[in-house]
Amino acid sequence: MPQTILNYINGEWCRSGAGKFVEVINPATQEVLAQTPLSPPAEVDAAAQAAAAAFPDWRNTPPGDRIQYLFKLKALLDEHIDEISRIITLENGKTFGESKGEMRRAIENVEVACGIPTLMQGDVLEDIARGIDEFMVRQPVGVTASICPFNFPGMIPFWFLPYAVACGNTYIVKPSEKVPLTMQRIFELIEQAGFPPGVINMVNGGADTVNAILDHPTIRAITFVGSTPVARHIYARAAANGKRVQAQGGAKNPTIVLPDADLEMTTKIVADSAFGNAGQRCLATSLVFTVGEARDTFTQAIAEAAQTRVTGFGLDEGVQMGPVISHASKQRIESLIAKGAQEGAEIVVDGRGKTVPGYEKGSFVYPTVLSDLNPQGELIRTEVFGPVLGMVHLNTVDEAIELVNSGQYGNMACLFTSSGAAARKFRHDAQAGNIGINIGVAAPMAYFPFSGWKDSFFGTLHGQGKHAVEFFTQTKVVVERWPREWSREF
Ligand code: NAD
């Protein structure tokens, strides 16, 4: 029997009164794992009211006491990491190793948020005028909420949740309706960690549930991670409703390979970046711009890496790449490959129309490499979100940087070289917020902001680290004078 996904409101598990459900499907087998309720606005309202009621006491709980719950949650996540990782693989398709890597990143954010008694401190200056002192404190903003995508069901809520609650806010998360099982299990651990009722809530659903969050007058701050068209919608609608908002969008990440790069290391790292998580990573390399002789050497090496990557069910031993999330996604990816070829690209390795023995129903696309993408075409600018690498061959590093900067997205850009001067120029000039030098997935650690630019990000403060602390607090500045003559002599 497929599991029915529940909401978690005010410390209780609640069956949604939704009239519509979405099937949660194991993409490797097409088995129906669960039904996600598309929760109606009244259930968002119940969560917002519970969070509002819990807020006064939670914000008055000393930061040092608030983080004790996070220490407990970290221990529980560590203890259950294998079990949660298996759930991620079942509902999302990525390999068990990738799922575990994702959960380590989630846990790191809990660890960083446990530093809140230091991170949340304000500033003080005595004697801004004679006998007058001024100080700034950070206070929580109130009820906050996050809307999450399907590709990292365990990690992405944790770019926000630990910081929101450590700072004294109360919180609501809406997981992706495609992969709700991971947070369902994690919320059992949140319950076990003993957070007071209403501090952390979960409402499952789709677009209508999201819009109810965006419009709810009690919710003060919203974070979003997902595709760019939805990010624009979230940013505009939440801001029009007077909320603070950060919205992380899609990507089309370019990597430049110079002829002096270490070929073996570069090929291995770029293959992991392009085909890891079946290319469904907002920091996946989806374009490679080779310079000079790298054209021939790199094309040959990456084609071999693509052909030999082991594709299959993510819980099976030795599998290096799982399926994409759905048949609809597989179809979209395969038609984009065809579009690239129509536009003039050569298909060097074709991953279309293949099946995995034993998993014939799975939504698998094998690693694909295209060469000589049309610079004016659709494939060079459209996010594929699948294991598809497109290449363009250029003569100079300046041309390559220019092509990097002509893209509409700015999530990540990488360079492979042994030249310090080229690296310095690249990191200075490249228009992207996450830069990799001889790195294929430049994912910031939890104590650095996840810094998308351009159409990959709408807002000012990003997820993780100090940015998250700033986002989840409002500053209060106090200027005060205490003349000596007002005080009684003791
Ligand atoms: P998506 O935009 O389809 O969905 C994200 C969330 O928005 C889901 O919770 C969904 O229920 C909700 N949603 C979808 N359509 C909506 C609508 N019309 N109105 C209101 N809410 C709506 O994204 P996805 O397919 O789940 O995730 C993949 C995308 O996320 C890719 O574009 C990827 O690049 C991006 N992503 C970006 C980052 C980043 O850090 N920039 C990280 C991970 C994923």
Side-chain angles (χ1 to χ4, degrees), residues 152 251 253 273 281-285 385 411-412 434 440-444 450:
F152 284 95
N253 303 305
S273 176
R281 210 162 23 194
C282 69
L283 294 182
T285 288
F385 225 53
N411 221 30
M412 178 183 83
N434 299 298
V441 179
F450 196 100

Side-chain angles (χ1 to χ4, degrees), residues 5-340:
I5 299 296
L6 302 175
N7 293 330
Y8 186 80
I9 298 174
N10 206 23
E12 302 206 330
W13 290 98
C14 319
R15 190 171 281 269
S16 171
K20 285 193 196 142
F21 292 78
V22 168
E23 286 185 338
V24 182
I25 291 170
N26 176 339
T29 61
Q30 301 303 299
E31 181 196 353
V32 178
L33 302 171
Q35 306 273 357
T36 310
L38 299 181
S39 301
E43 288 164 14
V44 170
D45 183 52
Q49 288 196 28
F55 177 63
D57 195 50
W58 184 245
R59 77 156 279 204
N60 288 330
T61 303
D65 292 350
R66 292 198 296 254
I67 60 170
Q68 297 312 314
Y69 298 93
L70 290 175
F71 281 117
K72 280 190 203 140
L73 180 59
K74 173 196 151 42
L76 287 165
L77 289 168
D78 277 334
E79 193 186 325
H80 294 277
I81 189 166
D82 283 359
E83 180 198 347
I84 297 168
S85 303
R86 262 192 294 278
I87 297 173
I88 295 177
T89 296
L90 287 178
E91 66 177 352
N92 169 282
K94 66 181 69 173
T95 67
F96 179 70
E98 290 168 339
S99 299
K100 216 164 159 178
E102 156 170 7
M103 282 314 298
R104 279 251 49 90
R105 289 259 170 179
I107 294 166
E108 265 166 38
N109 277 283
V110 181
E111 290 166 355
V112 172
C114 285
I116 222 68
T118 309
L119 290 170
M120 207 181 152
Q121 286 177 12
D123 298 321
V124 182
L125 185 66
E126 283 189 328
D127 295 311
I128 52 131
R130 200 167 281 270
I132 300 180
D133 305 328
E134 180 162 344
F135 54 95
M136 182 274 281
V137 291
R138 292 194 171 278
Q139 298 192 334
V141 296
V143 179
T144 60
S146 294
I147 297 149
C148 304
F150 80 80
N151 64 332
F152 284 95
M155 174 184 75
I156 285 177
F158 280 87
W159 285 353
F160 312 104
L161 180 157
Y163 304 97
V165 298
C167 289
N169 302 280
T170 53
Y171 182 77
I172 303 167
V173 62
K174 196 220 69 82
S176 164
E177 62 275 34
K178 293 176 185 157
V179 290
L181 285 162
T182 303
M183 286 309 279
Q184 197 81 168
R185 181 67 187 108
I186 287 176
F187 261 73
E188 290 172 1
L189 304 181
I190 286 173
E191 186 178 34
Q192 224 176 311
F195 287 91
V199 170
I200 307 182
N201 307 274
M202 174 168 64
V203 182
N204 287 283
D208 291 345
T209 319
V210 170
N211 289 335
I213 292 172
L214 303 179
D215 293 343
H216 200 287
T218 304
I219 300 173
R220 298 285 318 282
I222 292 187
T223 76
F224 170 82
V225 180
S227 60
T228 290
V230 183
R232 280 185 198 283
H233 164 71
I234 303 283
Y235 190 60
R237 186 147 163 179
N241 285 324
K243 303 181 196 310
R244 58 171 68 183
V245 49
Q246 52 170 259
Q248 304 190 198
K252 183 86 186 174
N253 303 305
T255 287
I256 301 175
V257 178
L258 297 188
D260 64 357
D262 178 309
L263 186 63
E264 199 185 326
M265 180 193 81
T266 304
T267 308
K268 186 186 172 316
I269 293 177
V270 173
D272 284 344
S273 176
F275 310 131
N277 280 30
Q280 299 172 119
R281 210 162 23 194
C282 69
L283 294 182
T285 288
S286 52
L287 294 170
V288 162
F289 304 153
T290 63
V291 172
E293 314 87 89
R295 174 191 184 118
D296 294 334
T297 52
F298 182 76
T299 303
Q300 200 186 338
I302 197 75
E304 203 179 309
Q307 275 156 344
T308 51
R309 202 164 185 91
V310 182
T311 303
F313 177 39
L315 291 182
D316 286 347
E317 204 60 42
V319 166
Q320 294 172 304
M321 193 182 93
V324 297
I325 189 70
S326 63
H327 279 311
S329 189
K330 174 180 159 85
Q331 262 168 22
R332 193 184 49 78
I333 294 163
E334 293 191 344
S335 64
L336 274 165
I337 297 170
K339 178 87 189 160

Side-chain angles (χ1 to χ4, degrees), residues 431-459:
Q431 291 171 14
N434 299 298
I435 296 290
I437 310 274
N438 297 317
I439 295 289
V441 179
M445 298 296 284
Y447 25 86
F448 284 99
F450 196 100
S451 291
W453 281 18
K454 295 165 86 177
D455 281 0
S456 298
F457 181 70
F458 303 92

